[in-house]
Amino acid sequence: MAYSFPEEVLEYVFAFLSSDKDRNAVSLVCKSWYEIERWCRRRIFIGNCYAVSPQIVIRRFPKVRAVKIKGKPHFADFNLVPEGWGAYLYPWISAMARSYPWLEEIKLKRMVVTDESLELISKSFKNFKVLVLSSCEGFTTDGLASIAANCRNLRELDLRESEVEDLSGHWLSHFPDNFTSLVSLNMSCLGSEVSFSALERLVSRCPNLKTLRLNRAVPVEKLPSLLRRAPQLVEFGTGAYSAEIQTDIFSNLVEAFSGCKHLKSLSGFWDVVPAYLPAMYNVCSRITSLNLSYATVQSPDLVELISQCPNLKCLWVLDYIEDAGLKALSSYCKDLQELRVFPSDPYGAEPNVSLTEQGLVTVSAGCPKLQSVLYFCRQMSNAALIAIARNRPNFIRFRLCIIEPQAPDYLTLEPLDTGFGAIVENCKELRRLSLSGLLTDRVFEYIGTHAKKLEMLSIAFAGDSDLGLHHVLSGCESLRKLEIRDCPFGHKALLANAAKLETMRSLWMSSCSVSYGACKLLGQKMPRLNVEVIDERGSPNSRPETCPVEKLYVYRTVAGPRVDKPDFVWTMDEDAALRLS
Amino acid sequence: MEPTLGLLGGIGGGGGGGCGAAGGKALSCDQTGLNAPKSEKDYMCISKEAELELGLGLSLRSGGGGGGCVEVKGKGSAWGEYGRILTAKDFPNGFSAGTGRAAAGTKRAAADSVGSAECGSPSTAVSQVVGWPPIRAYRMNTLVNQAKTSNADEDEGVGRNEKKENSKKKINHGSDKNDTIVKERDHLGFVKVNMDGLPIGRKVDLKAHPSYETLAQTLEEMFFKHPSVTIRGGKEQSTQPFKLLDGSSEFVLTYEDKEGDWMLVGDVPWGMFLSTVKRLRIMKTSEANGLAPKFQERNEKQRARAI
């Protein structure tokens, strides 16, 4: 076009667009904008690795520098996805190794990563900088050794909560002596002891190190040495925070912590001995994030620590904090935005701590900025939920887990429909919701009516009939991810709202009652969805069509059916009826 | 919102029309209009008998119904042989917390749910439901490992300055530098279990078991009680109870320890087993000969007894 901007100008303008949504919108304006945009897109987010193939991504975006890929469905965290299901990284790496030689960042979640992949990464990308493996598995410390040895410009190595086969701690010693670029290291999920002197030297020679999360094997008396070498640290995770109490260890710790004027985030604290907690008091006034979710410390000690942290924004803690501790939290920490309370004894028949719905009510009342909650407890009432909803209409994430499935309102013995209804009605910006307790179809009616911004919904042991599912699928306009387990939902709502599924990233249903016949029908009618049946009992063709499938995973895709399925996954499509097994 | 793809034919309608809202406000539904009587329980506004055949364009009931999958009438969902979730409707007179446990027990691990999954024993523990409460295995294992650690420390620390969590500590001025490096902990309470002849392994949470007996029972249920489990090679498993621990069955339970050796399960105290086991394997008894001296000894004892 004679009158349009030159490409270079447009490219320059587009460079200011960081959100994928904006870039996607821009690419739809006209063909030339599509072309310009695709050549200058540098960051890619793939929310479901099977929604698209590496080849399609590379063909459209030839100059990518950073990829983020998610693999297994969320319920894989709770062992609901059988082993060997998929989400393999290797095909991505081998394709990107050829096409993205300048790739700098790889961030993965719930993918299967092998040592081979790690080695390929370390050798293929000369300017590789960032590797984040969140809840991944399939690799050993040998793979880490390749990364350490070959990635000369590595800045971030973050293994958060990955399942690593820990052959030895020797991998850390593979960082070359002239390697100084490290900014962030999170090895908290590893078991083996690394060479402490190698760790000390690494920390010493990396002046930009901001994040250091140690693993449990690093004892508390070694912490001062590390902290002294990295006073610029912003985020620090201890190892096992226990030792025989000795005055010199304690005073060393105090001194070392005092030297860290920039610390904002603390974590670790396995095996914590409360007497060592005061060593951190000097830094507490600056702390904004505290992860005490492995600290088996009683409420009074927790409160003493928390009372020193007036700027706390994010707290993860065990239910040892109890209602009393949460009350203290709500009075000391007025800036609190995120709270997660994990159960210390989830399988115990009786409560071991005095943590009830009251704690959450108090925090919701006292912390005006609270917007994100994950709360495990053993009793809940509609009255409490209604109070919480009224106190805190600014929730964006509300995940409540009442430990006993289908537990009713403990005061009235009614379902918790009205309580959760109040949450969705009052919290108009709610994006993520996890339900628990006794719930009927009514709660889904409330959700479908009010939760217009809801993007992710997790349902377990709830509902009476397909009407419930229908409310959700037809009402929740922003829904992207829906995961359901152990609910009496069949095929009717699913088939009636089949088109909705194309507007979502994925749907998971396990231990529900969707029949094989319905799955086949859905697959046949919706070619742009992969309708996958997961069933470890053998081919669904060996059972009547009315038989419910064990697990169903439906997701939109432009890549067609998976080619790497294990033998307990079947894709429903036009050919499904013809296949023998 | 697109109502339907015409999948549901004439009667069923897409979203069930405006009826069926259980006692509450009626759904305002812009779905394919239908004039049908309102019914509280049946949002499709059709009699129960017809609902499964309604307008899907195909009959979901296969001729004769065959095998084990039979529809359960009355609750409007094809649970078939898999039992069903109890809901408030099952307890018209109210609900006590205790009954909730029974409901939890009704739904065992999805892969395990077969046939007799009716209302189970009353106080079924939460731990029998796979993946509930929804806590990452990583977190669970860490917590359990810590419980073990603190128990061990309490045992060791008798007579010296303790680490009681509730009281202030006495500061130890001693000069002995204890080697307090925490030994490598096996983070994973979940270990893989493979069975000879089955290509797909499972995982079992050892930390959820207090003894060999419960572990063996769980494994037996996992691997042997599926009527449709077939071993590659065509043989069907019989459904007689297998005893994995006493050497009387066709299979025996073995484990790989930290040194890489394969040992028979059951020889060492449970706690010691937990700290050395890396993974499990259900091995054919014929292949397990020579695995550990005790095994042969046991075999010989049994033969001697039989004679």
Side-chain angles (χ1 to χ4, degrees):
Chain A
M1 289 273 303
Y3 299 110
S4 66
F5 286 127
E7 271 188 31
E8 294 82 2
V9 174
L10 281 172
E11 213 181 294
Y12 182 75
V13 170
F14 292 170
F16 290 96
L17 297 175
S18 49
S19 110
D20 281 344
K21 260 184 160 177
D22 291 341
R23 281 189 162 263
N24 290 344
V26 148
S27 65
L28 292 175
V29 166
C30 63
K31 281 190 183 154
S32 66
W33 280 38
Y34 175 89
E35 278 300 307
I36 297 166
E37 194 282 319
R38 79 179 186 91
W39 279 93
C40 70
R41 192 178 301 212
R42 297 280 176 262
R43 310 189 76 86
I44 295 279
F45 170 69
I46 296 160
N48 172 6
C49 63
Y50 290 118
V52 70
S53 72
Q55 290 69 31
I56 293 174
V57 173
I58 291 169
R59 195 170 63 216
R60 178 167 173 195
F61 301 114
K63 296 281 180 193
V64 162
R65 297 271 167 94
V67 293
K68 183 168 178 184
I69 311 176
K70 292 190 175 181
K72 298 185 200 175
H74 173 235
F75 275 175
D77 285 353
F78 317 125
N79 295 316
L80 289 180
V81 176
E83 258 202 67
W85 176 84
Y88 304 108
L89 177 66
Y90 192 80
W92 290 91
I93 298 299
S94 83
M96 295 194 295
R98 287 189 294 274
S99 306
Y100 294 155
W102 297 111
L103 192 67
E104 293 177 4
E105 281 184 29
I106 296 175
K107 296 184 179 177
L108 306 172
K109 191 163 189 181
R110 289 191 204 98
M111 300 231 15
V112 175
V113 177
T114 56
D115 287 347
E116 220 186 325
S117 300
L118 291 175
E119 200 179 329
L120 193 53
I121 290 173
S122 75
K123 300 208 166 127
S124 309
F125 308 117
K126 299 301 169 201
N127 203 26
F128 193 67
K129 294 191 173 129
V130 172
L131 184 63
V132 176
L133 302 175
S134 178
S135 303
C136 294
E137 58 165 356
F139 59 104
T140 77
T141 40
D142 285 352
L144 298 179
S146 309
I147 297 286
N150 299 319
C151 299
R152 303 280 166 79
N153 297 311
L154 193 69
R155 296 213 185 129
E156 255 183 74
L157 179 59
D158 186 337
L159 305 173
R160 48 182 96 152
E161 294 187 350
S162 289
E163 224 178 273
V164 185
E165 195 177 332
D166 206 324
L167 300 175
S168 85
H170 199 59
W171 65 273
L172 189 95
S173 309
H174 284 257
F175 283 112
D177 289 336
N178 60 356
F179 169 73
T180 60
S181 52
L182 201 60
V183 173
S184 169
L185 177 63
N186 179 355
M187 46 182 246
S188 52
C189 62
L190 297 179
S192 288
E193 208 184 322
V194 298
S195 152
F196 191 73
S197 57
L199 180 58
E200 272 179 325
R201 278 180 279 121
L202 179 65
V203 169
S204 294
R205 65 178 185 270
C206 294
N208 297 317
L209 192 65
K210 298 277 187 311
T211 300
L212 180 63
R213 305 233 191 244
L214 303 169
N215 64 344
R216 202 162 165 188
V218 180
V220 71
E221 64 265 21
K222 297 213 164 145
L223 299 183
S225 155
L226 292 171
L227 290 171
R228 260 181 251 121
R229 287 158 208 264
Q232 75 283 2
L233 277 178
V234 175
E235 300 182 328
F236 183 64
T238 74
Y241 209 69
S242 64
E244 279 261 318
I245 309 301
Q246 294 180 12
T247 32
D248 52 344
I249 296 182
F250 186 85
S251 55
N252 283 346
L253 261 182
V254 173
E255 203 196 314
F257 271 117
S258 307
C260 295
K261 308 280 185 207
H262 305 276
L263 267 183
K264 290 227 165 86
S265 164
L266 290 172
S267 63
F269 302 112
W270 292 281
D271 311 312
V272 62
V273 165
Y276 275 123
L277 289 175
M280 302 184 308
Y281 286 176
N282 285 341
V283 298
C284 282
S285 60
R286 285 183 289 270
I287 293 293
T288 56
S289 168
L290 200 48
N291 182 352
L292 295 167
S293 61
Y294 298 108
T296 50
V297 175
Q298 303 301 319
S299 185
D301 297 305
L302 287 170
V303 169
E304 236 192 279
L305 178 60
I306 286 169
S307 63
Q308 315 269 336
C309 307
N311 290 313
L312 200 59
K313 292 200 165 78
C314 175
L315 175 66
W316 291 20
V317 73
L318 285 170
D319 58 7
Y320 288 126
I321 192 169
E322 299 192 325
D323 289 344
L326 290 175
K327 187 165 176 202
L329 176 69
S330 70
S331 67
Y332 288 120
C333 303
K334 292 300 186 188
D335 263 1
L336 195 70
Q337 293 175 12
E338 177 177 332
L339 173 66
R340 297 195 190 191
V341 179
F342 295 96
S344 51
D345 183 20
Y347 297 146
E350 299 300 321
N352 59 326
V353 292
S354 172
L355 179 103
T356 69
E357 80 283 8
Q358 194 49 49
L360 188 55
V361 173
T362 315
V363 176
S364 69
C367 297
K369 300 191 188 166
L370 188 65
Q371 56 179 13
S372 176
V373 155
L374 169 61
Y375 198 77
F376 284 81
C377 63
R378 287 171 186 270
Q379 67 184 40
M380 187 50 63
S381 66
N382 284 310
L385 282 170
I386 291 169
I388 290 165
R390 294 212 180 116
N391 288 337
R392 209 46 40 232
N394 47 321
F395 275 128
I396 55 175
R397 263 173 242 113
F398 189 78
R399 298 159 69 189
L400 178 66
C401 178
I402 306 161
I403 288 180
E404 184 69 41
Q406 301 182 319
D409 177 327
Y410 77 101
L411 296 170
T412 64
L413 299 184
E414 285 173 357
L416 290 170
D417 300 335
T418 43
F420 279 105
I423 294 282
V424 293
E425 197 174 340
N426 284 288
C427 304
K428 306 212 191 294
E429 300 298 314
L430 196 67
R431 296 203 303 253
R432 183 167 179 184
L433 177 64
S434 301
L435 306 171
S436 58
L438 181 66
L439 297 164
T440 73
D441 285 346
R442 181 72 68 83
V443 73
F444 299 116
E445 195 183 332
Y446 295 139
I447 291 173
T449 307
H450 295 288
K452 295 304 180 187
K453 300 241 174 113
L454 193 66
E455 296 179 4
M456 182 168 178
L457 179 61
S458 309
I459 309 173
F461 305 102
D464 308 311
S465 75
D466 271 60
L467 184 58
L469 181 56
H470 172 70
H471 284 305
V472 170
L473 289 175
S474 58
C476 296
E477 291 161 5
S478 311
L479 197 63
R480 291 190 297 112
K481 289 178 279 184
L482 180 57
E483 46 185 25
I484 303 172
R485 62 162 296 176
D486 294 273
C487 295
F489 299 144
H491 57 266
K492 297 187 205 119
L494 210 52
L495 293 172
N497 293 281
K500 170 75 172 172
L501 299 176
E502 277 188 3
T503 69
M504 292 165 53
R505 181 186 298 174
S506 64
L507 165 70
W508 168 277
M509 291 178 75
S510 58
S511 307
C512 297
S513 38
V514 183
S515 68
Y516 176 49
C519 295
K520 283 202 290 188
L521 189 59
L522 187 64
Q524 284 163 21
K525 296 296 180 191
M526 306 294 293
R528 290 187 298 195
L529 297 179
N530 276 354
V531 178
E532 292 177 2
V533 167
I534 298 169
D535 212 314
E536 292 178 279
R537 298 169 294 173
S539 165
N541 282 317
S542 61
R543 290 179 294 279
E545 290 216 339
T546 46
C547 232
V549 300
E550 277 182 351
K551 299 170 192 187
L552 175 64
Y553 187 48
V554 181
Y555 55 92
R556 64 181 177 189
T557 181
V558 295
R562 278 177 62 180
V563 296
D564 61 354
K565 294 190 292 280
D567 58 7
F568 51 84
V569 174
W570 289 268
T571 305
M572 308 287 106
D573 57 18
E574 294 88 335
D575 297 331
L578 298 175
R579 291 210 196 99
L580 293 175
S581 71
Chain B
M1 194 64 242
E2 291 301 310
T4 96
L5 305 170
L7 290 177
L8 299 185
I11 308 176
C19 62
K25 53 183 186 190
L27 282 181
S28 67
C29 211
D30 56 348
Q31 313 292 354
T32 55
L34 51 101
N35 299 314
K38 293 191 186 203
S39 151
E40 196 176 286
K41 288 189 184 163
D42 182 1
Y43 92 97
M44 292 308 295
C45 305
I46 302 143
S47 66
K48 296 268 179 258
E49 288 74 32
E51 66 187 339
L52 283 170
E53 270 184 306
L54 75 96
L56 281 171
L58 58 94
S59 167
L60 290 186
R61 272 193 275 257
S62 62
C69 205
V70 176
E71 281 125 33
V72 173
K73 294 232 158 65
K75 287 296 173 184
S77 59
W79 274 97
E81 63 185 13
Y82 300 100
R84 55 188 177 82
I85 293 291
L86 303 180
T87 67
K89 288 210 193 94
D90 296 305
F91 303 100
N93 300 321
F95 200 101
S96 74
T99 343
R101 287 176 199 252
T106 312
K107 207 61 193 156
R108 304 291 301 282
D112 288 353
S113 59
V114 173
S116 59
E118 292 305 323
C119 192
S121 53
S123 47
T124 311
V126 169
S127 62
Q128 287 197 4
V129 181
V130 167
W132 191 268
I135 302 168
R136 288 190 182 174
Y138 172 78
R139 181 172 291 282
M140 273 316 307
N141 295 330
T142 309
L143 273 180
V144 174
N145 272 321
Q146 287 197 98
K148 266 178 60 183
T149 316
S150 63
N151 284 341
D153 287 342
E154 274 164 19
D155 292 340
E156 285 166 25
V158 170
R160 301 191 291 173
N161 287 328
E162 292 299 342
K163 305 171 211 172
K164 280 233 152 95
E165 292 183 341
N166 283 333
S167 57
K168 288 269 179 198
K169 310 293 177 290
K170 279 201 295 184
I171 307 285
N172 180 6
H173 290 270
S175 60
D176 57 325
K177 305 235 177 242
N178 285 319
D179 184 357
T180 50
I181 292 170
V182 174
K183 293 199 183 79
E184 172 187 359
R185 295 270 167 215
D186 186 351
H187 275 204
L188 308 176
F190 279 92
V191 296
K192 299 186 189 181
V193 191
N194 285 87
M195 179 164 135
D196 284 359
L198 285 186
I200 295 165
R202 305 290 303 274
K203 265 188 172 174
V204 66
D205 180 5
L206 290 181
K207 309 295 189 200
H209 291 276
S211 71
Y212 285 119
E213 281 69 41
T214 60
L215 172 66
Q217 196 185 346
T218 300
L219 290 177
E220 282 165 28
E221 276 162 15
M222 228 187 241
F223 285 95
F224 294 122
K225 287 195 178 149
H226 285 170
S228 59
V229 161
T230 44
I231 309 245
R232 289 283 161 96
K235 282 194 286 189
E236 280 246 349
Q237 273 304 316
S238 72
T239 48
Q240 285 155 20
F242 285 85
K243 295 289 175 196
L244 285 171
L245 290 180
D246 65 5
S248 66
S249 88
E250 197 190 320
F251 287 87
V252 76
L253 184 58
T254 64
Y255 72 101
E256 185 184 7
D257 70 6
K258 287 211 157 121
E259 271 109 54
D261 300 323
W262 284 92
M263 320 272 283
L264 209 55
V265 165
D267 282 346
V268 301
W270 176 252
M272 198 187 299
F273 168 68
L274 280 188
S275 62
T276 57
V277 62
K278 267 174 53 178
R279 54 186 166 137
L280 297 169
R281 183 174 155 205
I282 300 174
M283 209 181 269
K284 284 208 159 81
T285 307
S286 48
E287 283 184 26
N289 277 323
L291 198 63
K294 275 199 179 159
F295 177 76
Q296 288 196 322
E297 209 184 323
R298 201 178 285 161
N299 252 357
E300 274 150 34
K301 277 192 191 144
Q302 284 188 334
R303 274 186 235 121
R305 255 187 262 132
I307 297 168

